RNA sequence: GGGCGAAUAGCUCAGUUGGUUCAGAGCGCCUGCCUUACACGCAGGAUGUCGGGGGUUCGAAUCCCUCUUCGCCCACCA
């Protein structure tokens, strides 16, 4: 750890060994003391590869957990993976497809085995990738939603809900994915606005007395029609109610029924009813005792319940065939374009088919009520706040949750059916059953598995040992924050809240941070299929994890998306990469200037640096450091992570590096006295800044911090104490006075640039009309100003210096007059114009200000302090303008 | 169809309670510099009807109304 530092930061050589060192020392684990602070990681799919969404999500969580850890909390970040039922099954099915097989060819048990071994191989990949970002998880608690332990929790939750009557089985219209061959929950059927068509079809009355025209967006479903419905009060159809229709193409006789659910104003006001394939139709049919004819096979082909010529046709092929036949029969009245929302499978994007089938459901209303109440009571803190409204609205309109899936990869539903004809008992059980507990007959388990989200909703407590009463559970439940993308607010976050309230009678967390999405420059979501993704591992490899983290955190306004350019990583991650390098060089410079022990700044040590020894620059950087501590701490607390990161950035770059280090170089080099004090101040403020930055850039801060003087070999910034505000460091006088010096230096630099003074050429400058404090400051920091503005001499006079007829000049905001004699370099015409322009600007401002202050309304109604400030402003501007006029006079400028 | 939000520099966005952070930052752009920590750098610059219109107010990027344009969530008008 003591080899010389390279001029350019090389994250690759630093990060991996450092992470191993952290792990070896167990600093990410729980301390067991202090108030717990717990974050449960949203489990990535067990087959996932790290993408930028993870990069963003994990960076945020790690910042939060590291911040709280340094503040002394017993910070525990619980990582895990999700078995991801449908998604994982799809992956393995694709592998099988390459061998020309389906899961049905290999059989259920062999398939499950195949998935298990696949997951065993790849399951640790994503966790390894997470480590490369520097995530300070408690790896001893890594969970997996399909482990034996969590499977036991799933059974417990299921049976408990079943026993309370909150889980039931029944035949309803559910969302069916014909590709995945399973039922989906409402949330898993993503509605997408789609341009479609709506056809108007003539249905003839059986008695030949006329016809009725129905409208439909899915003509193929007519093969399963069992009625036509109209509104009972619709005068157009009053006479038709109760009559029979001869269903075209099929020949079946179906009734016309009246139901208030029909909207008379939509379409033709008459709805064809296909109870087996539409939820509204199903509802109406139930009320009228109508039959439901399922005309589709699981893979959405026309089934044998429809006329034979359609058998086996894909639903969209059948649609064309039905339309063609209806047209040929002269029954097609017309077709219109129609934009409507169509459900798509969230895993494979196939159009979802509403399907009548036997499924398991969770009764949600009783679970939703307390979850909604918690929000209304203000017990849930959403970031950004408006997301809470979405949460509440979803709960208000909650519908029962279909939890059974007709796939093979997942927690088998723990329900056994008695095979004895006389018994047929249905038993939910925590343990496997062979025999029916009622009659002792053979019992067989339900074939379906549970929705993946049924298991992941339990992780805030199942990952801590529930249903056993473990010490972990007692200490680390409930947790505190939950950080995730808004897409899974309903899938996961809401359900965790309901599950926590149901199983543990406590909210699983109280802060819900919902971050934006990572997008490309065209604001498209990054995706494999678009090829616009950024591989975080690639970014880490090029620029380091710290650069990635700073870039996303620093650019992350609360609740907004992060825009990155996949085609230009250099530019996308420039801010993080550049800052890391800057920081590296600040550290390199500082460390190289330290020889021997550095005196402490505070404490009882007789060697301590006293306040009297501090120069203005010292007091200023200490005050700025103090302000940064306050600003960053408050921003982290409010989860304004970008504000915190940028506050430290500004301090380190714009204050410490740009001004302070430049100011103390002569002292450090020994050219002027006070080097030991400067070293002490620089080391202390740098130490503080490193700690403030550590949550965002853990690797580089640790690397530099460890090299600061006086560190033991096993010292780590990971658990270093968070800097505390120190009122003794607050020093508005130093901030003002050093600010005046900065303005002076800036003004001289501007003039140098304006007149192309060679960077190496020292020039003279003089100041007049300074205030007492500033005069003192100038005298104390004369060498600093001379150095920073590259001056050969700086004089301070009461009045304007004589012989300034070949000088450039400027006035500072406090009225200080700056004169820079440049001899031949000064272009008099240009200088006159420059001063004139400045005067013009001031004159305009003075005019406005005079009008404002002449306004009786303003003077009488605005608060006195505001009026006073405005008066002072006016006076100051007049003063400045007068100084500039004087300069024009000296130069002999034309009026 | 219901609900919510956004529009500020070329790009991505800050701007928290209406008045000294009030017009800002980063990236990009222009000029000059390889000044013994850093060219992934230093110094100096340019750029805006704060989406349009109306209103409230002594005072509006900030509050209200309206229009326009984008975005998000929800939704069984077939």
């Amino acid at each position: 750890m003591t080899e010389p530092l390279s001029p350019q930061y090389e994250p690759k050589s630093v990060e991996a060994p450092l992470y191993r060192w952290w792990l070896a020392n167990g600093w990410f684990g729980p301390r067991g003391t202090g108030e717990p602070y717990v974050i449960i990681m949203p489990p990535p799919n067990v087959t996932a590869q790290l993408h930028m969404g993870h990069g963003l999500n994990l960076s945020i969580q790690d910042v939060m957990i590291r911040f709280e850890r340094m503040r002394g909390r017993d910070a525990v970040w619980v990582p895990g993976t999700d078995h991801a039922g449908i998604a994982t099954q799809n992956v393995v099915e694709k592998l099988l497809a390459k061998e020309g097989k389906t899961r049905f060819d290999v059989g259920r048990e062999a398939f499950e085995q195949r998935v298990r071994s696949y997951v065993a191989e790849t399951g640790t990949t994503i966790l390894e990738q997470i480590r490369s970002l520097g995530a300070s998880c408690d790896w001893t608690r890594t969970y997996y939603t399909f482990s034996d332990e969590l499977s036991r929790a799933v059974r417990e939750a299921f049976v408990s809900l079943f026993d309370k009557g909150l889980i039931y089985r029944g035949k309803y219209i559910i969302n069916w994915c014909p590709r995945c061959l399973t039922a989906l929950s409402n949330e898993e059927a993503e509605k997408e606005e789609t341009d479609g068509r709506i056809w108007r079809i003539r249905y003839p009355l059986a008695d030949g007395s006329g016809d009725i025209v129905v409208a439909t967006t899915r003509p193929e479903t007519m093969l399963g029609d069992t009625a036509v419905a109209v509104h009972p009060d619709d005068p157009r159809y009053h006479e038709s109610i109760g009559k029979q229709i001869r269903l075209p193409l099929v020949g079946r006789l179906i009734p016309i029924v009246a139901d208030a659910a029909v909207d008379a104003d939509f379409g033709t006001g008459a709805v064809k009813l296909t109870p087996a394939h539409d939820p509204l139709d199903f509802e109406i049919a139930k009320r009228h005792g109508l039959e439901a004819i399922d005309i589709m096979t699981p893979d959405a082909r026309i089934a044998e319940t429809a006329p034979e010529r359609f058998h086996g046709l894909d639903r969209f092929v059948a649609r064309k065939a039905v339309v063609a036949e209806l047209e040929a029969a002269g029954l097609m009245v017309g077709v219109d374009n129609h934009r409507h929302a169509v459900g798509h499978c969230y895993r494979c994007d196939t159009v979802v088919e509403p399907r009548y089938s036997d499924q398991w459901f969770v009764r949600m209303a009783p679970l939703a009520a307390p979850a909604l109440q918690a929000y209304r009571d203000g017990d849930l803190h959403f970031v950004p706040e408006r997301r809470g409204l979405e949460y509440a609205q979803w709960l208000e309109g909650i519908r029962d949750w279909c939890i059974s899936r007709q796939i093979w990869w997942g927690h088998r539903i723990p329900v056994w059916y008695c095979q004895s004809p006389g018994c047929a008992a249905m038993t939910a059980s925590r343990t496997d059953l062979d025999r029916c507990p009622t009659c002792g007959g053979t019992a067989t388990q339900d074939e379906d598995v549970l929705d993946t989200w049924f298991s992941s909703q339990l992780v805030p407590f199942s990952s801590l040992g529930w249903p056993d009463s473990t010490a972990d559970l007692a200490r680390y439940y409930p947790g505190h924050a939950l950080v995730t993308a808004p897409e899974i607010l309903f899938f996961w976050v809401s359900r965790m809240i309901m599950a926590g309230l149901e199983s543990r009678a406590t909210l699983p967390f109280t802060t819900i941070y919902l971050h934006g999405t990572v997008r490309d420059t065209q604001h498209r979501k990054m995706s494999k299929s678009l090829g616009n993704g950024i591989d975080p591992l690639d970014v880490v490899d090029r620029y380091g994890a710290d650069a990635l983290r700073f870039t996303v955190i620093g650019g992350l306004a609360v609740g907004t998306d992060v825009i990155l350019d996949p085609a230009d990583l250099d530019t996308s991650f420039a801010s993080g990469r550049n800052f890391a390098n800057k920081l590296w060089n600040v550290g390199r410079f500082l460390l190289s200037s330290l020889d021997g022990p550095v005196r402490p700044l505070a404490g009882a040590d007789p060697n301590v640096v006293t306040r009297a020894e501090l120069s203005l620059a010292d007091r200023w950087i200490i005050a700025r450091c103090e302000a940064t501590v306050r600003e960053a701490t408050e921003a982290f607390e409010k989860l304004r992570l970008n504000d915190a990161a940028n506050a430290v950035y500004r301090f380190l770059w714009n204050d410490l590096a740009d001004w302070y280090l430049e100011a103390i170089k002569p002292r450090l080099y020994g050219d002027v006295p006070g080097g030991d004090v400067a070293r002490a101040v620089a080391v202390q403020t740098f130490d503080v800044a490193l700690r403030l930055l550590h949550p965002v850039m853990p690797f580089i801060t640790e690397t530099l911090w460890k090299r600061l003087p006086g560190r033991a070999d096993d010292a780590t910034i990971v658990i270093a104490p968070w800097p505390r505000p120190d009122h003794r460091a607050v020093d508005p006088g130093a901030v003002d006075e050093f600010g005046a010096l900065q303005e002076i230096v800036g003004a001289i630099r501007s003039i140098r640039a304006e007149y192309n003074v060679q960077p190496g050429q020292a020039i003279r400058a003089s100041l007049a009309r300074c205030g007492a404090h500033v005069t003192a400051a100038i005298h104390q920091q004369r060498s600093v100003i001379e150095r920073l503005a590259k001056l050969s001499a700086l004089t301070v006079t009461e009045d304007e210096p004589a012989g300034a007829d070949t000088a450039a000049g400027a006035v500072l905001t406090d009225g200080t007059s700056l004169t820079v004699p440049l001899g031949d370099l000064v272009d008099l015409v240009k200088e006159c114009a420059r001063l004139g322009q400045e005067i013009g600007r001031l004159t305009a401002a003075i005019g406005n200000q005079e009008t404002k202050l002449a306004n009786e309304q303003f003077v009488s109604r605005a608060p006195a302090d505001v009026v006073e400030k405005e008066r002072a402003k006016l006076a100051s501007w007049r003063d400045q303008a007068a100084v500039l006029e004087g300069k024009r006079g000296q130069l002999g400028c034309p009026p």
Side-chain angles (χ1 to χ4, degrees):
Chain A
M1 278 304 224
T2 48
E3 62 271 24
L5 305 178
S6 58
Q8 205 165 80
Y9 178 51
E10 286 161 14
K12 250 198 252 189
S13 59
V14 167
E15 294 182 350
L18 198 48
Y19 194 87
R20 282 196 296 272
W21 183 68
W22 286 332
L23 280 189
N25 285 282
W27 285 313
F28 299 163
R31 256 180 283 195
T33 59
E35 196 192 334
Y37 180 83
V38 179
I39 298 180
I40 304 284
M41 178 190 292
N45 289 356
V46 68
T47 59
Q49 294 286 315
L50 199 72
H51 55 67
M52 274 310 293
H54 296 121
L56 174 63
N57 176 255
L58 295 164
S59 296
I60 294 168
Q61 292 177 80
D62 200 37
V63 168
M64 290 165 65
I65 205 86
R66 284 181 185 268
F67 171 62
E68 296 295 348
R69 185 180 292 124
M70 291 176 77
R71 297 224 288 175
R73 299 281 290 270
D74 188 8
V76 174
W77 183 14
V78 184
T81 49
D82 194 313
H83 70 285
I86 301 172
T88 304
Q89 172 155 329
N90 284 351
V91 169
V92 177
E93 281 190 306
K94 268 184 200 154
L95 292 176
L96 278 180
K98 283 185 188 157
E99 301 166 20
K101 291 188 208 157
T102 70
R103 67 175 152 125
F104 301 103
D105 295 332
V106 302
R108 181 159 190 162
E109 269 187 38
F111 180 77
E112 260 187 77
Q113 198 41 53
R114 177 104 191 215
V115 180
R116 265 178 219 288
S117 55
Y118 178 78
V119 161
E121 253 176 58
T122 62
T124 52
T125 307
I126 185 76
L127 297 177
E128 277 305 320
Q129 294 176 333
I130 288 172
R131 289 184 184 103
S132 70
L133 291 172
S136 63
C137 307
D138 179 1
W139 297 105
T140 65
R141 282 183 165 73
T142 309
Y143 67 86
Y144 173 47
T145 54
F146 207 4
S147 68
D148 290 347
E149 295 79 12
L150 269 68
S151 297
R152 201 159 70 84
V154 164
R155 283 216 177 169
E156 175 61 35
F158 184 97
V159 175
S160 161
L161 288 170
F162 183 89
D163 289 347
K164 289 176 189 168
L166 292 173
I167 285 184
Y168 63 93
R169 185 172 185 232
K171 286 199 94 171
Y172 294 92
I173 296 279
I174 45 82
N175 297 292
W176 179 268
C177 176
R179 202 219 62 85
C180 299
L181 299 177
T182 180
L184 300 171
S185 65
N186 294 321
E187 290 69 33
E188 288 169 321
E190 294 181 334
K191 292 295 176 73
E192 284 170 37
E193 284 275 326
T194 314
D195 287 317
R197 305 174 123 194
I198 185 162
W199 287 265
R200 295 192 304 280
I201 306 167
R202 188 188 317 280
Y203 277 17
L205 293 169
D207 62 8
S209 66
D211 52 50
I212 197 162
V213 176
V214 298
T216 181
T217 54
R218 294 185 296 156
E220 70 281 11
T221 62
M222 70 160 296
L223 302 172
D225 282 2
T226 57
V228 166
V230 297
H231 194 277
D233 301 333
D234 192 335
R236 291 174 291 179
Y237 301 117
H238 229 253
E239 308 236 315
S240 311
I241 295 169
K243 290 190 174 175
Q244 297 279 103
I245 274 171
R246 177 74 63 185
L247 184 62
L249 312 192
V250 180
R252 186 162 55 230
L253 279 178
I254 60 175
I256 297 170
V257 301
D259 195 286
V262 177
D263 181 354
D265 296 331
F266 185 84
T268 61
V271 189
K272 53 183 272 317
L273 295 186
T274 320
H277 295 280
D278 184 277
L280 178 67
D281 294 5
F282 177 75
E283 286 302 316
I284 297 174
K286 215 162 55 174
R287 282 196 282 273
H288 296 270
L290 297 165
E291 193 191 353
I293 303 174
D294 187 347
I295 53 135
M296 278 192 213
T297 60
D299 60 347
R301 293 173 182 280
I302 302 303
E304 296 183 353
T305 44
E308 195 175 351
R309 61 188 184 281
F310 298 108
H311 288 181
L313 293 183
D314 173 83
R315 54 185 163 163
F316 298 118
V317 176
R319 179 172 299 176
K320 284 185 185 148
V322 165
V323 167
E325 285 202 24
L326 288 169
E327 279 171 349
L331 294 170
M332 188 60 78
V333 180
V335 58
D336 296 304
N337 290 329
H338 182 62
R339 196 167 169 77
H340 60 151
V342 177
H344 291 71
C345 173
Y346 85 135
R347 283 305 175 202
C348 69
D349 207 36
T350 300
V351 171
V352 163
E353 192 63 33
R355 190 161 188 243
Y356 180 56
S357 88
D358 215 352
Q359 302 289 344
W360 286 93
F361 297 87
V362 178
R363 208 179 296 284
M364 296 304 283
L367 299 173
L372 189 54
Q373 194 55 45
Y375 172 73
R376 291 188 175 144
D377 291 346
D379 296 336
L380 286 169
H381 174 50
F382 283 86
V383 180
E385 214 171 327
R386 67 189 143 84
R387 294 285 180 185
L389 211 58
E390 287 173 16
Y391 167 83
Q393 285 171 350
W394 183 75
L395 286 175
E396 282 162 5
I398 194 104
R399 287 177 291 165
D400 285 354
W401 175 16
C402 176
I403 50 169
S404 42
R405 299 289 175 273
Q406 287 67 50
I407 57 172
W408 289 348
W409 178 241
H411 303 275
R412 191 105 167 242
I413 291 181
V415 169
W416 281 262
Y417 304 99
C418 180
Q419 296 302 306
S420 302
C423 176
M426 181 169 81
T427 312
S429 171
R430 291 172 176 81
T431 52
D432 288 356
L433 298 180
D434 292 326
R435 304 257 140 218
C436 169
T438 311
C439 73
T442 312
T444 54
Q445 189 174 3
D446 195 295
E447 292 292 318
D448 290 351
V449 303
L450 286 163
D451 183 355
T452 291
W453 302 99
F454 190 90
S455 56
S456 39
Q457 69 171 344
L458 308 174
V459 297
F461 41 95
S462 64
S463 67
L464 297 171
W466 186 87
D468 295 334
S469 306
T470 61
D472 268 4
L473 192 59
R475 181 161 174 79
Y476 299 111
Y477 186 90
H480 301 82
L482 194 280
V483 179
T484 191
E487 292 100 85
I488 56 176
L489 177 58
F490 308 139
F491 280 117
W492 191 49
V493 179
S494 307
R495 287 173 182 153
M496 276 192 289
I497 292 169
M498 289 185 276
L501 289 168
E502 164 67 17
S503 299
R504 305 289 308 155
T506 316
L507 289 170
F509 37 75
T510 46
T511 295
I512 299 151
Y513 184 110
L514 296 165
H515 57 248
T517 308
V518 183
R519 297 176 184 278
D520 68 9
T521 47
Q522 293 170 60
H523 296 195
R524 297 175 308 180
K525 218 166 164 171
M526 289 187 175
S527 76
K528 258 186 210 158
S529 51
L530 284 173
N532 62 344
I534 292 178
D535 180 359
L537 300 175
D538 185 24
V539 176
V540 167
D541 191 54
R542 288 174 194 236
Y543 316 117
D546 286 337
L548 183 153
R549 295 167 60 121
F550 183 83
T551 299
V552 299
I553 296 291
L556 183 73
V558 173
T560 62
D561 291 338
V562 173
I563 312 293
L564 296 167
D565 186 356
D568 188 355
L569 295 185
D570 266 355
T571 301
S572 292
F573 294 94
S575 65
R577 181 199 58 177
N578 295 355
F579 185 42
N581 195 51
K582 183 72 183 182
L583 190 55
W584 182 251
N585 276 289
V586 167
R588 209 157 67 92
F589 170 70
L590 209 55
L591 292 168
S592 73
S593 72
L594 304 176
D595 41 2
V598 173
R599 294 166 63 193
L601 272 185
D605 196 317
N607 198 27
V608 86
V609 173
T610 62
R611 186 145 184 96
E613 290 179 86
L614 298 178
S615 75
L616 174 60
D618 299 334
R619 283 163 48 217
W620 170 77
I621 197 69
I622 289 170
R624 278 293 307 133
C625 183
E626 170 67 13
T628 307
V629 169
R630 290 168 193 245
E631 201 181 338
T633 305
E634 193 189 334
F636 276 131
E637 281 172 347
K638 289 183 174 168
L639 300 181
R640 299 177 65 107
L641 309 183
N642 57 328
D643 285 351
N646 290 320
V648 186
Y649 175 101
R650 284 190 299 271
F651 173 73
L652 275 163
W653 200 316
N654 303 128
D655 294 335
L656 190 73
D658 287 351
W659 289 95
Y660 187 68
L661 293 184
E662 292 305 325
I664 63 171
K665 272 179 179 172
R667 289 159 74 190
L668 294 179
Y669 296 154
D671 299 340
V672 295
D676 57 337
V677 174
R679 264 187 281 275
V681 173
V683 167
Q684 159 144 328
T685 52
F686 190 55
D687 179 345
V688 168
L690 287 176
R691 279 181 282 150
L692 295 178
L693 191 61
H694 178 255
V696 181
M697 305 179 90
F699 292 107
I700 192 168
T701 51
E702 174 77 290
T703 305
L704 294 172
W705 191 84
K706 277 189 70 59
R707 289 178 184 253
L708 291 180
R711 299 275 181 258
D713 280 351
D714 61 347
T716 179
I717 197 172
V718 172
I719 50 169
W722 189 253
R724 293 181 174 284
D726 181 353
H727 67 273
R728 293 170 306 177
V730 177
D731 194 341
V735 173
D736 283 352
E737 287 158 30
F738 197 81
L741 303 190
Q742 287 177 305
E743 199 187 347
I744 291 166
V745 171
I748 299 170
R749 282 173 174 171
S750 272
I751 287 171
R752 293 182 65 110
E754 191 74 31
Y755 287 105
N756 297 318
V757 178
Q758 289 307 106
Q761 186 187 340
I763 56 175
R764 289 176 297 125
S766 63
L767 296 163
R769 303 165 37 86
C770 306
H773 287 288
V774 174
T775 305
I778 292 166
H779 284 308
Q780 201 219 12
Q781 300 285 297
R782 177 187 303 276
S783 65
V784 170
I785 301 171
E786 286 173 351
R787 181 186 150 73
L788 297 181
K790 197 100 188 168
L791 298 177
S792 55
L794 175 65
T795 53
V796 182
T797 56
E798 286 282 325
D799 304 313
E800 290 287 359
D805 53 341
T806 57
V811 63
L812 309 183
T813 47
D814 66 350
T816 295
S817 163
L818 168 69
T819 306
V820 183
L822 289 174
D824 295 347
L825 286 175
V826 174
D827 175 338
L828 277 181
V829 176
K830 183 177 171 182
E831 182 65 9
C832 287
R834 215 170 63 87
L835 295 172
Q837 208 174 8
E838 200 52 39
I839 291 167
R841 200 155 33 200
L842 283 167
T843 310
I846 288 165
N848 290 338
Q849 199 70 355
E850 282 169 343
T851 312
K852 193 179 204 174
L853 286 162
N855 184 341
E856 178 54 33
Q857 299 281 11
F858 170 69
V859 177
S860 59
R861 297 203 192 191
D865 61 321
V866 171
V867 175
E868 204 35 60
K869 273 178 194 165
E870 296 297 325
R871 285 218 170 94
K873 225 192 276 183
L874 174 60
S876 162
W877 291 342
R878 281 178 173 152
D879 194 32
Q880 289 173 45
V883 170
L884 292 176
E885 286 294 358
K887 286 183 183 299
R888 279 176 58 90
Q890 274 191 304
L891 294 176
C893 297

